[in-house]
Amino acid sequence: MISSKNTPTNFQSKNSDFTIEHYKELLKLVKKNWNIVNYNSIPWGSRFALWRHDIDFSINRSLALARIEADAGV
């Protein structure tokens, strides 16, 4: 649930966290702990992850991430 009380514990991001290897680890973690669904199959009342990403800066980068997700079965 979204709440004004949900505040980040660390306000500084680290560029070292945003690597392909970290992204692959994140995908593994999410896939292990949640059922990944799309907008047409949201299982309300159960634990799920709706995985998406926006194309803010680079279509090529988004394609690269989509390929990594496909290889991970996401």
Side-chain angles (χ1 to χ4, degrees), residues 30-45:
V30 170
K31 193 173 173 185
K32 178 181 175 184
N33 292 293
W34 290 278
N35 180 26
I36 300 172
V37 301
N38 62 37
Y39 286 103
N40 295 324
S41 62
I42 295 174
W44 299 109

Side-chain angles (χ1 to χ4, degrees), residues 20-35:
I20 295 296
E21 290 308 312
H22 279 122
Y23 191 66
K24 289 178 181 178
E25 290 301 316
L26 177 62
L27 290 171
K28 286 180 192 175
L29 180 67
V30 170
K31 193 173 173 185
K32 178 181 175 184
N33 292 293
W34 290 278
N35 180 26

Side-chain angles (χ1 to χ4, degrees), residues 6-24:
N6 292 339
T7 57
T9 57
N10 182 355
F11 290 95
Q12 287 188 329
S13 65
K14 299 176 186 173
N15 288 337
S16 62
D17 289 342
F18 297 100
T19 66
I20 295 296
E21 290 308 312
H22 279 122
Y23 191 66
K24 289 178 181 178

